[in-house]
Amino acid sequence: VNATPVTVVTGGAGFIGTNLVRRLHSEGRRVVVLDKVFSIDVRPSADGVIRVPCDLAEEAGVERGLAAALAIGPIDDVWHLAANSDVRAGTYDPELDLRNTFMTTFELLRGLRRHGIRRLRFTSSSAIYGDLAGIPVSETAGPLLPISNYGAMKLASEAQCSAAAQDYLERVDLLRLPNVVGMPATHGVILDLVDKLLTTPGRLEVLGDGSQRKPYLHVDDLISAMFAIRDHPAEGRVQAFNIGPDDNGVTVKWIAQRVVARIQPGARIVFGAGGRGWLGDVPQYAYSTQRLRLLGWLPELDSAHAVELAIDEIARQRSSAFQ
Ligand SMILES: NC(=O)c1ccc[n+]([C@@H]2O[C@H](COP(=O)([O-])OP(=O)(O)OC[C@H]3O[C@@H](n4cnc5c(N)ncnc54)[C@H](O)[C@@H]3O)[C@@H](O)[C@H]2O)c1
């Protein structure tokens, strides 16, 4: 065992994880990725990143993953991203969120305790705030009443992390993410719209009336924010941060128009009814990111530019998949 510390990333084979792992690796860190599936085409360990397939909702899976990392070196940092990220799917099958969002957190925390690992950064979500009708929320807002199973299991996970910080963890960062866009997309409104237009050319069906307005952050800016939080000395054992751009976001209607303009100019956009994409969809939210701004972080792209760039990236991602 080499004494150089190891950084563990759970869910590191997913959209945000792939980007986080690349940036950690380029900082010179030794990274071990624990994930259930490695479906995104990330080159196998030629790049020095170790990938361990394991189901983190199970004690045995967590144990296998942590043991593989500890065999390489002491673990000094853990980023917990593994979760069900498909909010809509979790509405129809709550067990998806129970297992992949909550139980992964619960079992991972037990694993950290067993091995005396004391730092955790958890990717939570704006979904914990529920439907606050667009009133900007700060980290101390409450009561927190999520409207999706996903939001409920993220909030329960935060609570479990907070309890662990009273005991065996010395520092937990609760990172409350907005909608994040970029490559390699695995889910989300842009990928949905691009795929629909490629499947039924000439016509783009939008869930809801398109009036849903949300902030979007590009994944490159997200990772910079996550690092700014990591590199800031903690003020307590548990700290929560809203992460997001400093604007009111863009509407789904605008995104649909940009997707059509980029992929198939002239295609007809057909809107559904109601201001919600689906049950559990928060139609509008706004964040106060004041706490994060005090650390000196600013995004390079606002919501509109982040979405424009991501549409272009996802269009290229899809067209190379079709070759
Ligand atoms: N993308 C967003 O807009 C967004 C917004 C808010 C919060 N988040 C959170 O950020 C994190 C990363 O999201 P993402 O967009 O990269 O999602 P993603 O679906 O691309 O990645 C999640 C990864 O977790 C893995 N995973 C799920 N269940 C697992 C299990 N039981 N054991 C091991 N691995 C498991 C999946 O295989 C996947 O690779 C998630 O916690 C998500 O809830 C994302």
Side-chain angles (χ1 to χ4, degrees):
V1 179
N2 178 322
T4 314
V6 170
T7 301
V8 167
V9 180
T10 79
F15 159 47
I16 295 171
T18 309
N19 285 278
L20 174 63
V21 168
R22 193 179 55 239
R23 294 268 290 270
L24 286 167
H25 187 250
S26 66
E27 279 188 326
R29 287 176 194 269
R30 297 206 297 163
V31 185
V32 175
V33 175
L34 312 184
D35 203 302
K36 198 162 56 163
V37 267
F38 287 86
S39 56
I40 294 177
D41 179 25
V42 273
R43 279 154 294 124
S45 24
D47 56 8
V49 173
I50 313 285
R51 300 183 170 84
V52 184
C54 52
D55 184 348
L56 299 168
E58 308 277 345
E59 183 179 342
V62 169
E63 201 42 46
R64 200 173 55 252
L66 291 180
L70 286 164
I72 294 161
I75 300 172
D76 75 338
D77 208 0
V78 178
W79 299 81
H80 175 39
L81 277 65
N84 165 47
S85 59
D86 187 340
V87 183
R88 198 169 164 220
T91 301
Y92 301 110
D93 179 5
E95 208 163 326
L96 273 178
D97 288 310
L98 175 65
R99 267 190 69 76
N100 295 333
T101 304
F102 182 71
M103 287 309 294
T104 54
T105 311
F106 184 81
E107 289 299 347
L108 178 67
L109 283 167
R110 295 213 302 183
L112 300 187
R113 175 183 216 160
R114 283 194 299 277
H115 293 285
I117 300 161
R118 296 163 66 79
R119 279 206 192 147
L120 179 66
R121 308 179 202 283
F122 171 61
T123 49
S124 186
S125 162
S126 59
I128 62 159
Y129 292 115
D131 185 357
L132 294 173
I135 299 163
V137 283
S138 75
E139 290 83 352
T140 52
L144 299 183
L145 300 169
I147 61 164
S148 60
N149 296 316
Y150 169 82
M153 293 297 101
K154 282 288 184 194
L155 184 55
S157 297
E158 282 201 7
Q160 198 73 44
C161 291
S162 161
Q166 302 311 309
D167 186 356
Y168 49 94
L169 291 181
E170 73 185 18
R171 174 167 175 179
V172 181
D173 294 332
L174 304 173
L175 312 165
R176 295 176 178 166
L177 275 47
N179 289 284
V180 184
V181 294
M183 250 206 359
T186 54
H187 59 95
V189 61
I190 300 177
L191 188 68
D192 271 3
L193 293 176
V194 168
D195 281 348
K196 273 187 188 162
L197 197 52
L198 291 172
T199 318
T200 51
R203 176 187 161 89
L204 178 58
E205 266 186 42
V206 174
L207 297 175
D209 63 11
S211 66
Q212 309 96 297
R213 175 182 283 277
K214 301 173 197 185
Y216 293 85
L217 188 66
H218 194 272
V219 68
D220 290 342
D221 277 330
L222 171 73
I223 308 294
S224 303
M226 289 161 80
F227 283 5
I229 293 167
R230 175 197 64 186
D231 297 339
H232 177 74
E235 276 164 23
R237 291 167 89 96
V238 187
Q239 40 175 17
F241 282 93
N242 289 343
I243 304 180
D246 197 14
D247 56 64
N248 295 329
V250 292
T251 62
V252 169
K253 180 177 179 182
W254 184 83
I255 298 176
Q257 289 166 339
R258 300 315 304 156
V259 167
V260 164
R262 169 64 176 79
I263 306 227
Q264 207 180 79
R268 195 159 65 92
I269 304 177
V270 183
F271 294 100
R276 255 175 234 277
W278 61 87
L279 188 71
D281 181 27
V282 176
Q284 239 188 358
Y285 77 86
Y287 255 173
S288 161
T289 54
Q290 185 61 19
R291 189 178 278 182
L292 180 56
R293 259 157 245 290
L294 289 174
L295 305 187
W297 174 85
L298 273 180
E300 297 208 346
L301 301 179
D302 61 13
S303 291
H305 286 96
V307 167
E308 292 266 23
L309 175 59
I311 290 173
D312 198 49
E313 290 173 332
I314 291 170
R316 281 188 278 122
Q317 178 182 335
R318 278 311 192 225
S319 65
S320 66
F322 288 174
Q323 276 165 12

